Amino acid sequence: MCNIFAKNCQDGFDKIPPVWYTFVDKVTGKGNEIMTGRMKFKMVGFCDGGIVSSDAPLMEALSFAGASEYVVFPGFCDVHVHFREPGFSYKETIESGSKASARGGYTAVCTMPNLNPVPDSVAHLGEQLKLIEEQAVIHVYPYGAITVGEKGEELADLEGMAPGCIAFSDDGRGVQSDDMMRQAMLRAKALGKMIVAHCERNDLLNGGYIHDGQYAAEHGHKGICSASEYAQIARDLRLVEEIGCAYHVCHISTKESVKLIRMAKAKGLNVTCETGPHYLTMDDSFLQEDGRFKMNPPLRDKTDREALVAGVVDGTIDMIATDHAPHSAEEKSKGLAGSAFGVVGIETAFPVMYTHLVETGIITLEKLIDLLSNNPRKRFGIPTNGDYTVWDLTKEFTVDPAEFISKGKATPFAGWKLKGECLLTVCDGKAVYKKN
């Protein structure tokens, strides 16, 4: 482990004798002691048993990069990814998804259960766990489904799966029945597990596939109203208040969702939430007639994007998750109406957020690492294990999907000019990604 980390990193990082450097806060203009600032190669050290010394292997591993300055962060943690196995390996595999994650600086991810078979029983979850053991280069924590087949009709074997899954989710679908969600929350609370909810009311979708806003109206597309998301969040929050279970909301996209969660937190409810890089940097004015702009929930209005950014700043939104959702080129080639929902994002998340939130002075670098690593790990109980990732924050590049390790290439960020390049990612003491 390198000896240069944020003060509030967990699992031993805060116990490592630190070398502090001043980083100028772009919001206040003042110099603060945070993270690494910018380090010369020769100033990176290694901590072994509390002894700080030169780390020759790390130095050698980084010698190819040619950068004069870089920073070291705790490995990032994404609680919302789709690695598509078992069942859909033509879209992504545990191997390709975990290697793509490592290129993005991630050393831990949580995989969603919309698979074939759906992990709704010990046997079905076991199929995924076997693939993870065989293929994953980073820590991969699977979700168990809330209902059998994610159909919302019968509770899955929550008791049986609890020891092998990170939490319970029917991601990709909302649980439509109030009584079914109540039963799930009661069972999850008894098991000490969290409900992680994709909130979407089917009766409000009306065949929509992009936001029900100006772009949809002007281009003749069917829209998805914001209420389809926030109405179910409101339902779930009432149940959380009644039952007292731990609850996390996936990929929020509307200003009403932000307001509801802010109010729930003010009441002291055990609630957290996430949003994605695309929702913080884009709205429906960015849309093009291309499947790489189609995801669920969709890109919303400018006012929604602004509310999401405000929610990140004030702490209403706890973490940033990519909802990395790869599909084949054919599935994403049918425009907004015909393409599958979902975009990739795990290889671009940090550069997008660093360029558009930190470099612009909206949040500090330390805050970004909380959103990408510390907060999700704390909420989901995922240890850091001494994992870290090394970045050159001065490197500028243009996003080229052809360079992705992920099988999925559909990203709304194609062609964007960003700052920040991952040089090295280390998981369990092994270099799982090295530039080139």
Side-chain angles (χ1 to χ4, degrees), residues 278-323:
H278 39 287
Y279 302 121
L280 293 167
T281 55
M282 295 181 178
D283 52 58
D284 64 351
S285 69
F286 286 70
L287 288 175
Q288 299 176 27
E289 296 296 311
D290 191 315
R292 66 189 178 92
F293 290 90
K294 185 178 181 180
M295 72 287 291
N296 189 26
L299 297 173
R300 302 286 186 183
D301 185 82
K302 178 183 178 182
T303 58
D304 294 301
R305 176 173 57 81
E306 292 171 343
L308 293 168
V309 171
V312 165
V313 171
D314 71 14
T316 300
I317 296 173
D318 303 89
M319 60 198 77
I320 292 171
T322 66
D323 193 7

Side-chain angles (χ1 to χ4, degrees), residues 32-112:
N32 293 325
E33 285 185 339
I34 65 167
M35 298 224 183
T36 66
R38 291 183 169 85
M39 304 282 77
K40 302 294 185 183
F41 281 139
K42 64 183 180 181
M43 304 179 94
V44 172
F46 180 73
C47 182
D48 183 10
I51 300 173
V52 179
S53 61
S54 175
D55 180 13
L58 176 59
M59 299 291 287
E60 182 178 352
L62 288 170
S63 62
F64 67 91
S68 61
E69 301 177 333
Y70 57 89
V71 294
V72 182
F73 302 126
F76 304 149
C77 176
D78 192 341
V79 301
H80 192 142
V81 302
H82 300 265
F83 283 178
R84 305 302 193 195
E85 277 195 315
F88 306 98
S89 56
Y90 70 95
K91 299 173 186 274
E92 190 81 289
T93 64
I94 300 294
E95 181 180 7
S96 63
S98 62
K99 287 181 176 179
S101 302
R103 182 175 184 253
Y106 289 85
T107 59
V109 297
C110 302
T111 52
M112 287 300 178

Side-chain angles (χ1 to χ4, degrees), residues 167-348:
F168 300 117
S169 179
D170 267 6
D171 186 61
R173 304 177 184 181
V175 176
Q176 302 303 304
S177 164
D178 294 7
D179 184 59
M180 185 62 64
M181 183 56 97
R182 178 181 286 105
Q183 291 182 46
M185 288 185 176
L186 287 167
R187 197 77 60 84
K189 180 182 179 182
L191 293 167
K193 289 289 184 179
M194 186 157 47
I195 292 291
V196 177
H198 171 117
C199 290
E200 185 173 56
R201 270 184 47 175
N202 293 348
D203 62 332
L204 297 177
L205 295 179
N206 300 316
Y209 46 85
I210 63 171
H211 176 58
D212 187 17
Q214 184 175 348
Y215 187 93
E218 291 179 351
H219 294 81
H221 290 296
K222 295 181 180 179
I224 301 174
C225 67
S226 296
S228 65
E229 174 179 301
Y230 69 75
Q232 194 163 98
I233 291 177
R235 189 269 318 259
D236 284 0
L237 292 175
R238 289 193 294 270
L239 292 174
V240 170
E241 188 168 14
E242 170 192 331
I243 295 166
C245 71
Y247 177 76
H248 177 82
V249 192
C250 296
H251 47 45
I252 67 169
S253 67
T254 77
K255 54 183 175 290
E256 294 88 354
S257 300
V258 177
K259 183 177 180 180
L260 284 166
I261 294 164
R262 185 179 288 122
M263 292 169 60
K265 289 187 171 189
K267 290 181 178 180
L269 301 187
N270 189 1
V271 172
T272 53
C273 69
E274 70 192 48
T275 194
H278 39 287
Y279 302 121
L280 293 167
T281 55
M282 295 181 178
D283 52 58
D284 64 351
S285 69
F286 286 70
L287 288 175
Q288 299 176 27
E289 296 296 311
D290 191 315
R292 66 189 178 92
F293 290 90
K294 185 178 181 180
M295 72 287 291
N296 189 26
L299 297 173
R300 302 286 186 183
D301 185 82
K302 178 183 178 182
T303 58
D304 294 301
R305 176 173 57 81
E306 292 171 343
L308 293 168
V309 171
V312 165
V313 171
D314 71 14
T316 300
I317 296 173
D318 303 89
M319 60 198 77
I320 292 171
T322 66
D323 193 7
H324 175 81
H327 293 285
S328 70
E330 181 182 359
E331 289 170 323
K332 295 298 289 183
S333 67
K334 302 173 183 178
L336 292 174
S339 293
F341 285 109
V343 296
V344 297
I346 204 154
E347 295 178 69
T348 55

